[in-house]
Amino acid sequence: MADLTWLQTTFVVFLLICVFVGTLPVINTALQFLTLPLHAFRNHYGKAAPYHPNVAVLIPSWNEGMVIGPAIERLLQLEYPADRLRIFVVDDASTDDTPELLAAKMAAYPGRVHHLRREVGGQGKAHTLNHGLDIVLADAWTEAVLIMDADVIFARDSLRKLSRHLADEKVGAVTAYIAEGSRDRNYLTRFIAIEYVIGQLSARRTQNVGGAIACLAGGAQLHSRANLEAIGGRIPTGTLAEDTMTTFEGQLKGRRMVFEPHAVVLAEEPRTIDSLWKQRLRWARGNVQLTSIYRTLWFRPSRLHNLGSFAFGLAWFTILLLPAFMLLAAAAMLTLLVLHSDIAEFVFRLMWISAACVYLFSMLYAVQLDGRIGRQSWREALMFPGLGALILMAIALFPWLFEEGLAELGLGLTDESRFTWAVIFYLWGPISMLGIWLARAVEPLPGGRFFAGLLLYICGYGSLLCAITVDSYIKEWRRADASWIKTEKIGRVDS
């Protein structure tokens, strides 16, 4: 920068700062996996002990006739004292055969299975759960409450692995590892499986180390009675992220939340981009809402909880603002290209070499955490960033191969073509998100699922999540309908 004026240098430094901010998600991922080994030393197992409180299982249910039977049967087979486990299915005015199935289960297991019917439903999961909480907490028998989804299948030892943490009175709730468990897996469910390994087995272990959990999994969360009473005995309503808000509220009351990676719960996940989009849009909008609700919390450390720590805030906002960071970095790189192409090329290579190193380290680490997923989804682990991003990593590492490859094809680089390729490379983030929008649009067309899958492999699963997050920004800005949309489940879990 020796030949630049003071003003030019200042502007270049500003652009470099923008690029750095844009790479915060990569930095956060690196910190996550570097912190992960500390879980071997900083965990809650030292304070856990065999403990079997009276557990009331709450299952919110709306037209769950295809899945509720196996879920109940598996619960009754858990390695847990039978006299300390009662199942309460909160029927949200189902119109299918759910009531008849529950009547049969109640007759087969008197006193152990209970049917709580709501005649007027459709208000959402939180309202359904609160109907059940009013009943089970009114009974002094209840010492803990397990909240789960109707379609999940618990491993037989999962509940006792969760309940052992409640032996410590400072623990308010424990959550399990929700693993993708569909029998008929496709490319999308295999991507989701890898996502859950990264987002749960890795990220939540790191959150255990930091002492702050972002979210108790909606499909498997065990609360102590004291924790539920501390937050008013009800699940917060008025947001699309009731699970996360419940998690925050418990920690704000001074109770610890724990992730138990060895308690495995299998879940059925969406098989189409459109179905996944609707599910994750609800989650993303809920997180946008909570970011505003808890705006006085972020980056304000407290002796009572760790939600205000810098590490937790960095992890939260790098996920929430990932598309914004991606666009900021692309804009800064494009500006550098126009003004100082030599600086832009250096920064581009540095950025993508760093991304390649973090990707290789984190993915190789992640697939070891769940050997079953690693074996079944190795292609999706390899292609998680997308073919486009992998090519950019290769170009950053071995730029001469790109130039030689083009020369072999008779497409030698000129100044004009070099600039065109650079624009495409620097704008790959926004381009990949547009590719995902296109994938969703073509998916319902004849042959569209093949092209949608192809676009997902090219653009990357991360770009899919980014595109959904952008949609959540738009929906919240427009104040679009925020009614709770149920994800359809048809009983595909491999039990």
Side-chain angles (χ1 to χ4, degrees), residues 99-110:
E100 290 75 20
L101 289 170
L102 292 175
K105 294 297 181 185
M106 289 175 62
Y109 305 102

Side-chain angles (χ1 to χ4, degrees), residues 162 165-166 171-176 216 220-223 258-260:
L162 292 173
H165 294 283
L166 295 185
V171 173
V174 192
T175 190
L216 298 166
Q221 46 183 270
L222 179 66
H223 295 262
V258 174
F259 169 62
E260 173 50 80

Side-chain angles (χ1 to χ4, degrees), residues 8 37-38 81 87 144 155 205 228 242 248-249 264 312 357 376 392 435 437 465 480:
Q8 290 173 324
L38 295 178
I87 302 168
R205 273 187 169 106
L228 290 170
E242 72 284 337
F248 275 41
E249 287 299 312
V264 180
F312 186 82
C357 293
Q376 295 172 352
L392 292 183
W437 283 84
L465 299 181

Side-chain angles (χ1 to χ4, degrees), residues 388-411:
L390 292 176
I391 291 173
L392 292 183
M393 293 177 192
I395 290 173
L397 288 164
F398 313 107
W400 59 89
L401 291 180
F402 175 67
E403 297 188 17
E404 292 177 0
L406 289 179
E408 288 286 335
L409 296 172
L411 300 173

Side-chain angles (χ1 to χ4, degrees), residues 31-213:
L31 291 175
Q32 173 182 315
F33 280 90
L34 289 172
T35 305
L36 187 55
L38 295 178
H39 191 257
F41 310 99
R42 290 179 57 87
N43 54 59
H44 188 257
Y45 294 116
K47 297 180 180 179
Y51 179 57
H52 303 98
N54 295 334
V55 176
V57 182
L58 278 189
I59 310 176
S61 175
W62 179 77
N63 289 354
E64 306 282 8
M66 300 185 72
V67 297
I68 192 66
I72 291 175
E73 289 294 335
R74 178 51 68 93
L75 286 171
L76 294 169
Q77 296 169 17
L78 291 177
E79 297 171 358
Y80 201 83
D83 61 333
R84 294 181 176 271
L85 187 68
R86 297 177 185 174
I87 302 168
F88 297 83
V89 180
V90 189
D91 178 4
D92 195 40
S94 294
T95 57
D96 67 351
D97 61 346
T98 296
E100 290 75 20
L101 289 170
L102 292 175
K105 294 297 181 185
M106 289 175 62
Y109 305 102
R112 299 196 65 192
V113 178
H114 303 266
H115 179 198
L116 308 180
R117 173 79 176 181
R118 297 186 74 203
E119 295 303 328
V120 179
Q123 294 175 297
K125 183 178 179 180
H127 289 277
T128 305
L129 286 172
N130 286 334
H131 179 79
L133 284 174
D134 289 340
I135 294 171
V136 300
L137 291 180
D139 188 346
W141 177 90
T142 302
E143 296 174 335
V145 177
L146 174 65
I147 295 174
M148 60 174 281
D149 290 336
D151 64 291
V152 301
I153 298 295
F154 277 67
R156 285 183 171 82
D157 61 355
S158 54
L159 181 54
R160 63 178 175 83
K161 287 183 175 179
L162 292 173
S163 65
R164 59 184 172 175
H165 294 283
L166 295 185
D168 178 5
E169 293 183 356
K170 293 182 180 179
V171 173
V174 192
T175 190
Y177 164 43
I178 305 293
E180 205 292 319
S182 302
R183 289 188 300 270
D184 53 344
R185 300 175 184 88
N186 70 352
Y187 71 92
L188 188 58
T189 61
R190 291 194 296 269
F191 269 119
I192 294 171
I194 292 295
E195 178 202 0
Y196 283 1
V197 171
I198 297 171
Q200 292 186 60
L201 284 183
S202 170
R204 287 181 181 166
R205 273 187 169 106
T206 301
Q207 290 169 13
N208 274 348
V209 173
I213 297 292

